[in-house]
Every structure is written in C-alpha cells, then in structure tokens.
Amino acid sequence: MCSSDLPASSVELFFFPLLSAELPTRPVSITTSAGVTDAVLTGGGQWVSAPLSGDQIQEVVIKCETIDSPLDLGLGPDQRKLCAKLIAARFNP
C-alpha cells in the first residue's frame, strides 16, 4: 500500500487572517469528525493543525467567530465580509 493511500490522521491549514489595530486577533474553529479545534489567528501566515478520524473520506469545516470587511476596519474600500484567507492545506498520515 502506498503512503498516499493511507487515510490522514491530521490536517494542517495555513491561514492569513484579516486583522487591524482594532481587531488584533481572529478566533476560528475547525470541525472534523474527530472533534473541534479552536485557534486564535494573530497575524501574518499561521498554521493550525486539527485531528482527523482516519476515515478515507473527510470533511473539514472552518468557522469564524466574526466576519468583517476591510472597509469596516478602515483598511480599504473592499466591502466584502471576510475572516481569513486559506492559503494551503496539507494532510498528515
């Protein structure tokens, strides 16, 4: 069996959160079939790891406590409600 055929035991997600001087952190929760992982994003790029159940098929749900627009935070004219940009995901055996 090839290692890529093995189910993953965890997922690592690389986030870049929308933050400002008024909002220096952004809480997020990552839900998988193995449970809920809470994290606080503090700026720049940040990896967050969450366990997986080991099943062949996985669902990962990312929830933000709040969403804001860059306009609301005084960061620019963009009116879209955002939380964090998901840059990358990697699965670990």
Side-chain angles (χ1 to χ4, degrees), residues 18 20 22-23 26 67-82:
L18 175 64
S20 70
E22 299 146 8
L23 185 68
R26 185 153 311 260
I67 57 173
D68 303 280
S69 73
L71 181 64
D72 294 340
L73 298 176
L75 300 173
D78 192 342
Q79 297 179 19
R80 293 175 297 160
K81 298 290 185 180
L82 308 169

Side-chain angles (χ1 to χ4, degrees), residues 15-20 24-26 28 41-46 83-85:
F15 291 102
F16 195 91
L18 175 64
L19 301 174
S20 70
T25 63
R26 185 153 311 260
V28 297
L41 304 178
T42 58
Q46 185 174 342
C83 169
K85 181 187 269 189

Side-chain angles (χ1 to χ4, degrees), residues 2 49 71:
C2 179
S49 181
L71 181 64

Side-chain angles (χ1 to χ4, degrees), residues 4 6 15-16 30 37-38 47 51 60 76 79 82 85 90:
S4 63
L6 297 174
F15 291 102
F16 195 91
I30 301 156
T37 300
D38 293 317
W47 285 101
V60 177
Q79 297 179 19
L82 308 169
K85 181 187 269 189
R90 63 183 174 208

Side-chain angles (χ1 to χ4, degrees), residues 3-14 30-33 47-62 86 88-93:
S3 65
S4 63
D5 293 336
L6 297 174
S9 64
S10 68
V11 61
E12 294 180 65
L13 304 170
F14 189 67
I30 301 156
T31 303
T32 69
S33 56
W47 285 101
V48 177
S49 181
L52 297 172
S53 64
D55 295 334
Q56 206 57 24
I57 296 175
Q58 297 288 334
E59 179 179 45
V60 177
V61 178
I62 302 164
L86 177 62
R90 63 183 174 208
F91 296 89
N92 303 308

